[in-house]
Amino acid sequence: MFLLHGGPGAPGYLSPVAQELAKNFHVIEPLQRGSGHETLTVARHIADLHEIVKAHGQNQRPALVGHSWGAMLALAYAAAHPTIASSLVLIGCGSFEPNARKEMNAILEQRTSNELRLRIEQLAQEVPDADKRLHMLGKLLLPIYSHQLDQSETEEMDCDAQAHEETWADMLRLQREGVYPAAFTTISSPIIMLHGKVDPHPGRMIHTSLRPFLPQLEYREWEHCGHYPWLETAVHDEFYTTLRGWLLQQFQRYSL
């Protein structure tokens, strides 16, 4: 299986998930292309992932497990190569339409205290390096993306601010032009969304917006859970049990 990190431009933090899944599966966690050589696009990330998938040719069609932006990349890849992935798991999936992003921004605004807002504003003066600033911003926002975290499993991430901006700008362009989510109609593989109710990404809105294009899309939500289910004390074990069980079920169906 291939485990796809989010950000965009934030590799490394999915290490605990990779280690846990490696108990049952062969896991490859590709670190997505960084900035500097060319302007990054969704198509570039799809092509990079396809090269890795081909290079690690497996006897079985691989599963794609993506978190946040990585879940969006999994869908984009599966739409471009609909015969490759056996199944897709979308953990804390991002949004594909403006109403969901508007709702997310409203949730974040409501959760942001005056103290946190001031601290975020100060980052521009205190941290001139854009990559370090993105890293620190992620740390500051982690509590309002979460319910109750087990910090012992939090992994550091190497942020690439330019990669983040270029990739996300292209994803938004593709959505404005109507490419996504319409392209997802080519995907016939089983898909499940795993989402936390406390995640500011409005899971049920995102699920509803995707169902016309992905009628097979399943949805599982945990009440006391945010954007990083594997870090949440209330659902840590149940998250892995659900993820592992669903993947094993799909592998068994495919093997029949």
Side-chain angles (χ1 to χ4, degrees), residues 103-121:
E103 177 66 14
M104 175 181 171
N105 290 333
I107 292 170
L108 290 172
E109 176 66 22
Q110 190 270 332
R111 294 180 185 177
T112 302
S113 65
N114 291 333
E115 180 182 358
L116 177 56
R117 189 173 289 107
L118 178 61
R119 187 72 190 90
I120 293 171
E121 292 171 356

Side-chain angles (χ1 to χ4, degrees), residues 17 39 60 64 67 104 112 115 125 129 163 175 196 202-203 251:
V17 182
T39 300
Q60 291 186 328
L64 302 180
H67 174 251
M104 175 181 171
T112 302
E115 180 182 358
Q125 291 83 28
D129 183 275
Q175 292 183 24
F251 279 126

Side-chain angles (χ1 to χ4, degrees), residues 57-95:
Q58 301 173 351
N59 295 328
Q60 291 186 328
R61 292 165 58 191
L64 302 180
V65 179
H67 174 251
S68 196
W69 148 254
M72 302 174 79
L73 177 58
L75 286 170
Y77 177 84
H81 302 281
T83 63
I84 299 295
S86 62
S87 58
L88 287 78
V89 179
L90 316 177
I91 305 169
C93 186
S95 59

Side-chain angles (χ1 to χ4, degrees), residues 10-54:
Y13 69 92
L14 281 178
S15 176
V17 182
Q19 293 174 28
E20 184 66 27
L21 290 177
K23 296 176 182 178
N24 299 92
F25 308 99
H26 177 63
V27 179
I28 298 171
E29 184 188 357
L31 303 183
Q32 295 157 30
R33 183 185 295 258
S35 63
H37 300 290
E38 61 185 88
T39 300
L40 293 176
T41 64
V42 175
R44 177 73 267 172
H45 288 297
I46 291 172
D48 286 346
L49 179 57
H50 194 51
E51 287 300 314
I52 296 171
V53 171
K54 290 191 299 181

Side-chain angles (χ1 to χ4, degrees), residues 39-195:
T39 300
L40 293 176
T41 64
V42 175
R44 177 73 267 172
H45 288 297
I46 291 172
D48 286 346
L49 179 57
H50 194 51
E51 287 300 314
I52 296 171
V53 171
K54 290 191 299 181
H56 294 82
Q58 301 173 351
N59 295 328
Q60 291 186 328
R61 292 165 58 191
L64 302 180
V65 179
H67 174 251
S68 196
W69 148 254
M72 302 174 79
L73 177 58
L75 286 170
Y77 177 84
H81 302 281
T83 63
I84 299 295
S86 62
S87 58
L88 287 78
V89 179
L90 316 177
I91 305 169
C93 186
S95 59
F96 288 93
E97 53 90 24
N99 288 334
R101 285 193 292 278
K102 183 178 179 181
E103 177 66 14
M104 175 181 171
N105 290 333
I107 292 170
L108 290 172
E109 176 66 22
Q110 190 270 332
R111 294 180 185 177
T112 302
S113 65
N114 291 333
E115 180 182 358
L116 177 56
R117 189 173 289 107
L118 178 61
R119 187 72 190 90
I120 293 171
E121 292 171 356
Q122 291 172 337
L123 282 180
Q125 291 83 28
E126 295 177 358
V127 187
D129 183 275
D131 296 342
K132 292 180 180 178
R133 188 163 62 247
L134 182 60
H135 175 80
M136 292 188 67
L137 178 62
K139 283 191 168 185
L140 287 174
L141 294 179
L142 184 59
I144 65 173
Y145 274 73
S146 308
H147 177 65
Q148 185 176 0
L149 297 180
D150 177 1
Q151 296 285 356
S152 67
E153 293 202 32
T154 303
E155 290 285 328
E156 292 292 326
M157 62 181 77
D158 295 320
C159 292
D160 186 333
Q162 184 177 337
H164 176 88
E165 293 170 4
E166 291 176 355
T167 303
W168 188 241
D170 192 54
M171 172 54 79
L172 292 179
R173 176 188 66 82
L174 291 166
Q175 292 183 24
R176 288 194 302 270
E177 294 176 0
V179 175
Y180 300 129
F184 301 154
T185 57
T186 64
I187 305 172
S188 59
S189 305
I191 313 175
I192 189 171
M193 286 180 66
L194 302 180
H195 219 87

